[in-house]
Amino acid sequence: MYVNDLENEGEARARAAYGDKYDRLSLIKDKFDPDNFFRVNQNIPPPARRH
């Protein structure tokens, strides 16, 4: 799956696109963007904002 082809399709599709790197990317997001300012793309929310 190609990440740039995704729209707002939910966490399951994002996890499938990013694979085993999703959790690490989420931790990085928590450190550098905890308010989820950069959320327009296929979003990886910080851990505190996941549903």
Side-chain angles (χ1 to χ4, degrees), residues 4-5 8-9 11 17 27 34 38 41 45 48:
N4 289 340
D5 285 340
N8 189 11
E9 299 178 33
E11 184 177 340
L27 293 174
F38 298 103
N41 60 343

Side-chain angles (χ1 to χ4, degrees), residues 5 16 20-21 26 42 46-48:
D5 285 340
D20 60 350
K21 295 172 179 53
S26 179
Q42 183 56 41

Side-chain angles (χ1 to χ4, degrees), residues 3 11 14-15 18 21-50:
V3 176
E11 184 177 340
R15 280 188 173 276
Y18 290 109
K21 295 172 179 53
Y22 185 92
D23 290 328
R24 184 165 184 263
L25 289 168
S26 179
L27 293 174
I28 292 168
K29 176 84 172 210
D30 192 36
K31 180 177 181 179
F32 292 101
D33 186 19
D35 295 327
N36 204 24
F37 180 80
F38 298 103
R39 63 187 173 275
V40 177
N41 60 343
Q42 183 56 41
N43 191 33
I44 297 177
R49 296 195 180 247
R50 284 194 197 150

